[in-house]
Amino acid sequence: GQFPQGQYAVQARESLAAVYEEDKSTRIRAIQLYRQLLSEPSTAERHHDYQFRLGLLNLKRGELDQARYEFRTLLKDYPDSAHIAETHYLVGYSYYLEERYPLALAIFDQLSQRFPDTIHAQQARFFMADTLEEQGQVRDALRIFESLEGRYHNEEILATRIQSLRSRLRRSVR
């Protein structure tokens, strides 16, 4: 009786979950499959991946509270996961999506201090600057954008934002 729980059944569920993830209408099914895979002892070394996928799928479905729950479970249960920096970023991003800017800023700041050299920290700093600019804190936004020079993956958009803020500040001084 071990075969239904055997390695081929696990591989089939993993493959199916990956396929279901791609289509909006079947994401709930992917979530169910990842939940089953999380209870499978033979896949313990991949549980952190499944937990991450659960957070991501809920985020994509717009279930932000559930996404945060899944991400926080990953942070608590799998502190050594390769997904830690990205998970922090996505928790902050979920608050950003809800326009809960103080929470988003706090998490983005924490991420950029804990994992300063990751692409997720750079993206978090970009969102921090963007949020500060939206709130009229132009100098603070500019300072953060400038700190990303030479480190951000999209130098073109960064240069545009910096130029725009510098000219805003020059206009306001006159």
Side-chain angles (χ1 to χ4, degrees):
Q2 169 157 11
F3 252 65
Q5 294 303 317
Q7 109 184 48
Y8 298 112
V10 166
Q11 287 171 350
R13 281 200 298 257
E14 284 178 338
S15 299
L16 208 49
V19 169
Y20 284 152
E21 265 187 74
E22 298 308 311
D23 185 346
K24 274 183 184 169
S25 67
T26 55
R27 285 190 180 138
I28 195 79
R29 187 68 188 114
I31 288 171
Q32 293 166 341
L33 287 167
Y34 284 125
R35 288 237 179 279
Q36 289 173 11
L37 288 162
L38 269 175
S39 65
E40 179 63 49
S42 70
T43 61
E45 76 285 351
R46 292 195 301 283
H47 283 185
H48 74 108
D49 286 322
Y50 306 147
Q51 191 65 53
F52 181 74
R53 310 270 0 130
L54 286 168
L56 207 51
L57 283 162
N58 279 289
L59 190 66
K60 287 178 179 176
R61 294 181 66 240
E63 301 290 337
L64 301 180
D65 287 331
Q66 187 64 35
R68 282 190 289 267
Y69 170 80
E70 302 298 351
F71 287 139
R72 287 200 177 102
T73 300
L74 182 136
L75 294 171
K76 179 174 61 68
D77 294 351
Y78 310 100
D80 298 327
S81 169
H83 299 294
I84 292 294
E86 187 173 6
T87 299
H88 277 286
Y89 170 75
L90 291 170
V91 170
Y93 183 66
S94 73
Y95 286 123
Y96 178 86
L97 290 174
E98 290 179 330
E99 299 179 8
R100 294 167 73 182
Y101 299 129
L103 279 169
L105 287 169
I107 290 168
F108 286 156
D109 187 49
Q110 196 178 45
L111 165 64
S112 63
Q113 288 179 36
R114 261 188 82 188
F115 305 98
D117 299 327
T118 63
I119 189 167
H120 308 295
Q122 307 312 321
Q123 192 61 47
R125 294 193 60 70
F126 189 92
F127 273 114
M128 286 172 73
D130 188 63
T131 302
L132 290 168
E133 180 185 359
E134 258 178 51
Q135 296 176 339
Q137 299 175 44
V138 178
R139 283 184 202 288
D140 292 335
L142 178 59
R143 186 177 40 75
I144 292 173
F145 279 136
E146 287 172 342
S147 78
L148 288 170
E149 284 182 299
R151 297 164 60 198
Y152 191 66
H153 66 275
N154 190 335
E155 286 293 327
E156 201 175 307
I157 195 153
L158 185 64
T160 303
R161 297 298 292 273
I162 289 171
Q163 192 176 9
S164 162
L165 289 182
R166 283 178 179 159
S167 72
R168 266 180 76 182
L169 283 171
R170 277 195 304 274
R171 282 196 304 274
S172 72
V173 168
R174 289 180 189 152

